[in-house]
Amino acid sequence: MTDFDYNNDPRIHALKHVRNPLCVFDVESFQVLWSNQAGLEFWHADSIQTLRQRGFKQAVTEPIVKRLRQLQTDCHEQDISLTELWTIFPRHGGRTVEHSISPFMIGDDVKALMIEVVNEIYDVDSDTLRSTAALLHTSAMISLYDADYSLIYCNPAARDSLNSRCTTLPQRLVNDTDIDIIEEALEDAECYHTELEVNTTRGPRWHEMTLQKSIDPVSGHPSVLVSAVDATERRHAQQTAYKLAYTDSLTGLPNRAALSIYLDELLSIQDGEQNEFSLFFLDLDRFKIINDSLGHSIGDQLLIEVAHRLKQAVGGNSLASRLGGDEFVLIMNQVTDTKELKVAAEKILTSMAEPVMLGNQKLRILPSIGICRYPFDGESIAGLMENADAAMYMAKARQCGYCFFDKQMTINLSATIKDKLGLENDLVYAIRNQEFELYYQPKISCRTGFVSGVEALIRWNHPTRGLVPPDSFISIAEETGQILELGNWVLDESMRQQRQWQNSGLHVPVSINISAHQFNTDDLMMNVSECLVRNSCDPAMIELEITESMLLGDADQIHQTLQQLSAMGIKLTLDDFGTGYSNLAYLQKYPLDILKIDRAFLADQKRSMLMETILNMGKVLGLKVVAEGVEARSQVDWLIEHGCDQMQGFHFSEALPVAQATRYLEEHSGRMNQSSKAA
């Protein structure tokens, strides 16, 4: 209880004889500190001590508490008296009275209120009383503005919300243009319902507001009655739900659902005119390799970077969205001119061309883009997407960056898809039906001209299609996950065949290709070791071929895997060098034995100088170098002259089934023991 010595306060002595009920009220403790005799009678209390003991706060609602605190602030800060009509319940029924409220200081720090009952109203009807109580207690913010939008009344809820500087309706609104919209709406109707951002004591909030033309009951002048409820949390919840439903959680771009809505709007005919636009379907080349080799975390970071660059590359009249995986769609509104579209596509390719550093890896983003135009290349969302997808696949096949749709693509794509689905279904049964076999392509020593090894290459003897080349089914096996079972079969069968040749006196090393899936599995070492033991195979006669993309992951883990394989006695070959990331640091960092140069270097005479550099580099690093794709005698002579170690290609032999490969080894082995060592 506030310590107030009213007996020795001279102000109280002067107020004792006031005829109207009078009291000093402490808003913080919610207690009557003093009352004159008329006040005691009004409150039906026999003494000040009795009145001070009453728990007023328990008998009132929260809006009343807020209103009294507002009155305390207004009276003390502005040093004014206020008059209000209240209904009070002093133990014996309700009494409607007109209150005069003034500031009253107790000591130096307690801000109390002097409350005087100026007039008691006896003829107020029940509806008026209930209306007044409703305005006082409701959480709805009710305010009244005059014709100039100056505030002339607000209930406690509104006063609690309104910023002290918001003395007019325009000041209440965050956006200056909102008042113009309100004026225009009220010119055409008596009432306007809207949701606006407003200035409040809690900062900017969203209020659901109803503004209605009215008459000020005091002056009789036109006014605007405003009823508002706080809609901020609901709005935020709606925004969050919308974001979850229509935004890609990884990249922040609009997702497939948002794209569908946007396309629906574009396809709708407005004012008799049809929108024209173009659709770019973008897919990332080799993304699966990056994802499998470096992990999904790096893959996700790359997708985020792609989204960022795509947004920067397109203009404000475009929509960039992510369908899922590494597929993106760009809508260029009101642009169908092929020259403009070529410029846009090349701009995207240029923006993607700059390598991106993720962790310790420098990666290149290589997209393929399919372009179709509405309404020329399709009249429905499904048709446009299908046609742009067909153009994208053509761009990927041609390796040309981007490609425009034409009708022939649909026919070709349909046949391709059907063929792929058929192979995918048949692949499930191919291993258990023993439809696969290994072919072996000889490698020739540049020093001796004898066979110095063979590379195992898988073939599929399809029951109806005949011999299916690996290019047609390996990618499908990778997508379906069957590549692991297939790869393990190749390991076992290659080692079995090597041992069989060894037993017959053909001491020939066998090279085996390892897929990215195999390389990144935890049981690679166990599978290799078990195959060696099961087939009694000499590890020194086995070479495992890996590609540069497999070396993009965790350097420590990769080094450990390669070191363990090398410790077994297995030779390690880096395949297709020069076509991937060509990071020379790999050649020094990892325990590699053999470097295989891609066939493109021999086919292109302009690359011969680079080929020579690679051969010299191999010598310096102590690596054997194998040249692939040898098809002419001139290439053989050049490789021998420049110190290449081994050659492989159609000039010597294509890949052969086991029986033919065995005859070739017998005919071209020379002194095999010596030639294999010399190689």
Side-chain angles (χ1 to χ4, degrees), residues 5-10 13:
D5 187 6
Y6 54 85
N7 290 319
N8 296 317
D9 193 315
H13 288 289

mmCIF file of all heavy atoms in Angstrom, residues 5-10 13:
data_model
loop_
_atom_site.group_PDB
_atom_site.id
_atom_site.type_symbol
_atom_site.label_atom_id
_atom_site.label_comp_id
_atom_site.label_asym_id
_atom_site.label_seq_id
_atom_site.Cartn_x
_atom_site.Cartn_y
_atom_site.Cartn_z
ATOM 1 N N ASP A 5 0.347 10.071 3.986
ATOM 2 C CA ASP A 5 -0.083 10.684 5.253
ATOM 3 C C ASP A 5 -1.086 11.785 4.944
ATOM 4 O O ASP A 5 -0.768 12.965 4.895
ATOM 5 C CB ASP A 5 1.142 11.244 5.988
ATOM 6 C CG ASP A 5 0.779 11.735 7.389
ATOM 7 O OD1 ASP A 5 -0.393 11.514 7.795
ATOM 8 O OD2 ASP A 5 1.653 12.325 8.030
ATOM 9 N N TYR A 6 -2.363 11.366 4.710
ATOM 10 C CA TYR A 6 -3.386 12.346 4.299
ATOM 11 C C TYR A 6 -3.779 13.283 5.446
ATOM 12 O O TYR A 6 -4.276 14.379 5.222
ATOM 13 C CB TYR A 6 -4.617 11.618 3.750
ATOM 14 C CG TYR A 6 -5.202 10.587 4.670
ATOM 15 C CD1 TYR A 6 -6.120 10.954 5.670
ATOM 16 C CD2 TYR A 6 -4.871 9.238 4.553
ATOM 17 C CE1 TYR A 6 -6.657 9.992 6.504
ATOM 18 C CE2 TYR A 6 -5.408 8.283 5.387
ATOM 19 C CZ TYR A 6 -6.314 8.669 6.358
ATOM 20 O OH TYR A 6 -6.864 7.730 7.188
ATOM 21 N N ASN A 7 -3.523 12.866 6.699
ATOM 22 C CA ASN A 7 -3.891 13.742 7.828
ATOM 23 C C ASN A 7 -3.063 15.017 7.853
ATOM 24 O O ASN A 7 -3.534 16.063 8.323
ATOM 25 C CB ASN A 7 -3.727 12.990 9.149
ATOM 26 C CG ASN A 7 -4.776 11.885 9.315
ATOM 27 O OD1 ASN A 7 -5.935 12.110 8.981
ATOM 28 N ND2 ASN A 7 -4.362 10.731 9.803
ATOM 29 N N ASN A 8 -1.808 14.939 7.343
ATOM 30 C CA ASN A 8 -0.924 16.104 7.382
ATOM 31 C C ASN A 8 -0.745 16.758 6.019
ATOM 32 O O ASN A 8 0.151 17.585 5.840
ATOM 33 C CB ASN A 8 0.445 15.695 7.933
ATOM 34 C CG ASN A 8 0.351 15.225 9.378
ATOM 35 O OD1 ASN A 8 -0.355 15.843 10.182
ATOM 36 N ND2 ASN A 8 1.042 14.126 9.701
ATOM 37 N N ASP A 9 -1.562 16.361 5.055
ATOM 38 C CA ASP A 9 -1.459 16.965 3.716
ATOM 39 C C ASP A 9 -2.411 18.155 3.645
ATOM 40 O O ASP A 9 -3.637 17.986 3.784
ATOM 41 C CB ASP A 9 -1.819 15.925 2.647
ATOM 42 C CG ASP A 9 -1.440 16.374 1.253
ATOM 43 O OD1 ASP A 9 -1.705 17.544 0.912
ATOM 44 O OD2 ASP A 9 -0.894 15.544 0.489
ATOM 45 N N PRO A 10 -1.897 19.386 3.432
ATOM 46 C CA PRO A 10 -2.752 20.579 3.424
ATOM 47 C C PRO A 10 -3.788 20.549 2.306
ATOM 48 O O PRO A 10 -4.868 21.147 2.437
ATOM 49 C CB PRO A 10 -1.754 21.727 3.226
ATOM 50 C CG PRO A 10 -0.513 21.087 2.681
ATOM 51 C CD PRO A 10 -0.476 19.728 3.259
ATOM 52 N N HIS A 13 -6.898 18.851 3.636
ATOM 53 C CA HIS A 13 -7.713 19.697 4.528
ATOM 54 C C HIS A 13 -8.621 20.607 3.733
ATOM 55 O O HIS A 13 -9.763 20.872 4.125
ATOM 56 C CB HIS A 13 -6.792 20.513 5.441
ATOM 57 C CG HIS A 13 -6.113 19.683 6.495
ATOM 58 N ND1 HIS A 13 -6.779 19.130 7.568
ATOM 59 C CD2 HIS A 13 -4.813 19.295 6.622
ATOM 60 C CE1 HIS A 13 -5.934 18.441 8.322
ATOM 61 N NE2 HIS A 13 -4.720 18.525 7.771
#
